[in-house]
Amino acid sequence: MLNGEYGEAVRKAMEILVRIGEALGAPRLIPVTSVHVSGISVNNIGVEGVELIEWFARNGARVLVKRATINPMGFDLDGIMPRDSREWALQLRLLNAFRNMGFSTMVTCTPYDAGNRPGRGEHIAWSESSAVLYANSVLGARTNREGGIVALAAGITGRIYLWGMHLDEERMPTHLIRIVVKDDVRNDLYSGVVGAIIGSVVDGIPLIDEGYRVDEAGVRNLLAAAGAWGSLPLIYLPGVTPDYRDARSRCDTCERLEIDDREIKDFIERVGGYADENVDAIFVGCPHVNTSVLDYIMNKLEKCGGTKIPFYVAVGGHVPREYVDKGLRLNIRVVRGTCMVVTELSRLGLESIATNSMKAAFYLPRRHGVQVKLGELDKLVSIACGAHGG
Ligand code: F3S
């Protein structure tokens, strides 16, 4: 591949991996079974980024792995959000280039809900931080937090450098975290705050001690928040991470840390405080929600006659279009294939947003200058209903 026998695009992809692998001191390359490429919003990568991906597709790059997916883009698939026609055309060129290389164009940050779900011990190359944390911490697969172009190169060559999270010794826990909270501080919002605090203060591999359990939505929020507020690739979660018991038994000398209710509630105040009806919009789906959460939201809002406050729910492109249409009947904007963070938010004219996502709470003020308020999913739904008089 490096000699150019398989074409210029494959040669370039392999050169990227070899150069980075050598710089990191990796001894060799290993095969990967799955890739996930982030950074595909035209709002982020511009014309130059699109032309680079097109160059790979034009010069014969094709995916060599079983499963290859891409992250959300700058626009939703159905035109629910306003579109700039020139940028939309650019986004479609990019989707087309990925499709020609053999990628699934289901555009989602939860590829594990859309057929790209690697198993325990599989070596993969993913580049969306929340998905990387999910792959390592929930599925037991092995990936570093790769850059988008590295994940692309891994897909084209079917290889990644043997380094970091691919090695047993790098996956050993370094910090033992005790979460001491009352039962009412365990919902989807608070688990995200726990993730944000861990991401902010831990530089290593955290292991959360027995006694702290959250449901699937809480796990997703916790991991996504940790990825946004820090640079962690893996968190050991009791009852969730496949190798938890073994890792816990090796954590007696870990650095110890405790997080309590007070710290969690103070963090919320510092970020923007609790949500009320005085916001311009509600946003759920960072990371993208699956159809069971979407059903839950729609059933609740159906009962109270729909939402009065604009209510955006971000989902992957694999979610059936019928959800978009049903959402419109309830005044819910189900946006497939994008989210409020990667879209050009100024087109919506929003100044304040309520969310249950601590990842969104990190990016929305920094990228879009939007004020954020926080609430768990049930609270956000009741605000939406209450605003309708329901
Ligand atoms: Fe996904 Fe957008 Fe959040 S890509 S993780 S919904 S910032």
Side-chain angles (χ1 to χ4, degrees), residues 167-198:
L167 299 164
D168 287 345
E169 60 271 26
E170 298 294 328
R171 299 173 71 90
M172 286 297 103
T174 58
H175 292 67
L176 179 63
I177 320 285
R178 272 193 74 220
I179 318 274
V180 192
V181 289
K182 299 194 185 74
D183 281 348
D184 63 339
V185 187
R186 285 175 191 264
N187 60 34
D188 52 319
L189 169 65
Y190 291 124
S191 59
V193 181
V194 166
I197 294 172
I198 294 174

Side-chain angles (χ1 to χ4, degrees), residues 238-259:
V240 174
T241 308
D243 301 318
Y244 181 86
R245 278 176 182 282
D246 182 47
R248 178 66 186 86
S249 70
R250 295 162 190 257
C251 200
D252 287 338
T253 55
C254 285
E255 192 174 316
R256 283 163 196 258
L257 200 79
E258 192 168 293
I259 298 172

Side-chain angles (χ1 to χ4, degrees), residues 71-72 108-110 128-131 224 283 285-288 314 338-342 357 359-360 363 367:
N71 226 31
T108 179
C109 51
T110 55
E128 153 60 41
S129 69
S130 68
F283 170 45
C286 175
H288 282 172
T338 188
C339 74
M340 308 295 266
V341 173
V342 296
S357 165
K359 174 165 180 173
Y363 283 114
R367 282 208 181 153

Side-chain angles (χ1 to χ4, degrees), residues 13-21 29 150 153-154 157 159-161:
M14 183 53 89
E15 185 185 2
I16 290 169
L17 296 178
V18 168
R19 288 257 181 105
I20 297 175
L29 298 171
V150 170
T157 61
R159 306 284 190 282
I160 195 68
Y161 28 79

Side-chain angles (χ1 to χ4, degrees), residues 83-327:
R83 281 175 185 160
D84 171 288
S85 57
R86 262 189 40 215
E87 288 183 2
W88 175 236
L90 201 57
Q91 190 69 72
L92 288 179
R93 273 174 53 188
L94 188 61
L95 280 189
N96 209 28
F98 276 110
R99 190 177 294 116
N100 289 342
M101 286 189 283
F103 279 83
S104 155
T105 47
M106 289 294 101
V107 276
T108 179
C109 51
T110 55
Y112 39 89
D113 288 334
N116 190 353
R117 194 176 175 91
R120 183 178 186 177
E122 267 186 60
H123 293 279
I124 62 174
W126 284 14
S127 64
E128 153 60 41
S129 69
S130 68
V132 165
L133 273 140
Y134 193 91
N136 282 318
S137 315
V138 180
L139 304 179
R142 297 180 166 224
T143 176
N144 292 301
R145 286 174 61 149
E146 305 293 1
I149 206 73
V150 170
L152 173 65
I156 294 168
T157 61
R159 306 284 190 282
I160 195 68
Y161 28 79
L162 178 60
W163 182 81
M165 288 299 101
H166 296 284
L167 299 164
D168 287 345
E169 60 271 26
E170 298 294 328
R171 299 173 71 90
M172 286 297 103
T174 58
H175 292 67
L176 179 63
I177 320 285
R178 272 193 74 220
I179 318 274
V180 192
V181 289
K182 299 194 185 74
D183 281 348
D184 63 339
V185 187
R186 285 175 191 264
N187 60 34
D188 52 319
L189 169 65
Y190 291 124
S191 59
V193 181
V194 166
I197 294 172
I198 294 174
S200 311
V201 300
V202 175
D203 180 18
I205 305 294
L207 181 145
I208 296 182
D209 208 357
E210 281 289 1
Y212 183 74
R213 300 275 172 117
V214 286
D215 62 10
E216 172 72 14
V219 165
R220 292 181 183 209
N221 268 358
L222 188 156
L223 295 172
W229 290 79
S231 55
L232 306 174
L234 159 66
I235 300 177
Y236 286 94
L237 300 166
V240 174
T241 308
D243 301 318
Y244 181 86
R245 278 176 182 282
D246 182 47
R248 178 66 186 86
S249 70
R250 295 162 190 257
C251 200
D252 287 338
T253 55
C254 285
E255 192 174 316
R256 283 163 196 258
L257 200 79
E258 192 168 293
I259 298 172
D260 60 19
D261 305 58
R262 186 71 274 135
E263 195 174 346
I264 290 172
K265 290 182 175 171
D266 285 352
F267 200 92
I268 288 178
E269 291 303 335
R270 284 204 301 279
V271 169
Y274 289 93
D276 54 29
E277 62 282 3
N278 299 316
V279 288
D280 294 336
I282 294 170
F283 170 45
V284 173
C286 175
H288 282 172
V289 293
N290 55 25
T291 46
S292 50
V293 176
L294 192 50
D295 284 331
Y296 178 83
I297 294 170
M298 286 189 163
N299 288 339
K300 289 258 180 186
L301 286 174
E302 202 160 20
K303 282 191 189 124
C304 74
T307 174
K308 195 169 184 184
I309 296 178
F311 197 127
Y312 292 85
V313 186
V315 298
H318 58 288
V319 169
R321 160 83 210 208
E322 293 80 74
Y323 279 98
V324 178
D325 299 328
K326 184 177 178 190

